[in-house]
Amino acid sequence: GITVIPVLSDYMKGYFMLRRPDDLERLLSMCMPSESEKDGWCEALKGHDLVAIVCESDSGLADAERLGVLLNTTYQNGVDEARRNKYLMVERVKEAGLAVVKQRLCKTLEEACDFAKELGVDSGGDSDVCVVVKPIRGVGSEDVTLCNDINSVKSAFQQIHGATVFGSPREKHEVVLVQEFAIGQEFAIDVVSKNGEHKVA
């Protein structure tokens, strides 16, 4: 059989610290190891065949990657921010030679509005051109806004900038991603990979 060891991500630790459930002490004993605790974890698990880290939700992806590297599990492929960062995802596709939308990381409201205007968005919403304003880290379409005028760009930027980053109890959005809106049919492609073999759904 297989033994499963549940581990709480830092995100879930923060959630439980706020909620203070009756079994908080037990839950805190299941948290990600800190830098000072990692050697103890490795020693305790020595002799076990550590197969994989299975992440239950998107909020734990970064911690799952780090834990896989720390424990040197059989199936892990390192830590890669591009798996979670929407700007870096597009840049990776571009590096592979595929066509991508124009995009820019904007630190200020002025930068976001200037880039939207550069892409053809006008103040009155009279243009057919739209841009997408989104956080670089998130889940699904949460806080993703399609904007066809500068006022909607401003509103979307202000909603994201300074808000808490999904999957992190402390990190705040210091930049906002503005992208060209691609018109056409959308396809979702799921891929599962193991040992260099890829299965496309």
Side-chain angles (χ1 to χ4, degrees):
I2 295 177
T3 301
V4 176
I5 303 172
V7 180
L8 290 179
S9 67
D10 286 342
Y11 178 82
M12 291 307 298
K13 175 185 176 182
Y15 172 83
F16 287 126
M17 289 295 286
L18 288 173
R19 298 286 177 170
R20 313 296 293 184
D22 294 337
D23 59 346
L24 180 62
E25 189 174 337
R26 179 187 68 84
L27 290 168
L28 292 181
S29 72
M30 300 162 50
C31 292
M32 278 284 294
S34 66
E35 192 65 29
S36 63
E37 296 169 328
K38 68 179 185 180
D39 290 340
W41 274 58
C42 292
E43 184 64 30
L45 294 168
K46 190 181 290 183
H48 295 278
D49 182 19
L50 302 176
V51 179
I53 306 293
V54 178
C55 185
E56 182 272 333
S57 70
D58 192 70
S59 61
L61 283 174
D63 285 338
E65 287 182 0
R66 286 195 296 271
L67 193 56
V69 171
L70 169 68
L71 301 176
N72 194 27
T73 56
T74 304
Y75 298 108
Q76 56 94 3
N77 51 6
V79 176
D80 189 349
E81 181 66 21
R83 295 189 190 105
R84 297 172 300 283
N85 183 305
K86 295 181 180 186
Y87 174 81
L88 293 178
M89 286 179 195
V90 172
E91 292 302 301
R92 287 287 174 84
V93 173
K94 182 179 179 180
E95 289 168 10
L98 299 175
V100 297
V101 295
K102 295 175 184 173
Q103 62 174 1
R104 185 171 297 166
L105 291 176
C106 302
K107 293 182 180 179
T108 67
L109 181 59
E110 184 179 16
E111 287 177 353
C113 292
D114 287 348
F115 186 57
K117 290 174 185 175
E118 189 179 310
L119 293 175
V121 174
D122 62 31
S123 299
D126 299 322
S127 169
D128 291 334
V129 176
C130 295
V131 294
V132 179
V133 179
K134 63 173 71 168
I136 58 170
R137 174 82 171 95
V139 57
S141 59
E142 187 175 306
D143 288 332
V144 176
T145 306
L146 184 63
C147 304
N148 68 345
D149 61 40
I150 295 302
N151 281 336
S152 60
V153 171
K154 290 179 180 178
S155 177
F157 180 94
Q158 290 166 338
Q159 180 175 334
I160 297 165
H161 195 265
T164 303
V165 175
F166 179 82
S168 171
R170 294 170 295 275
E171 191 180 357
K172 304 290 184 185
H173 285 292
E174 296 179 358
V175 295
V176 175
L177 178 56
V178 180
Q179 294 176 324
E180 176 184 24
F181 178 58
I183 298 172
Q185 190 169 0
E186 181 178 342
F187 295 91
I189 302 171
D190 292 320
V191 180
V192 177
S193 302
K194 180 183 174 183
N195 292 339
E197 185 179 349
H198 310 295
K199 302 289 185 183
V200 181

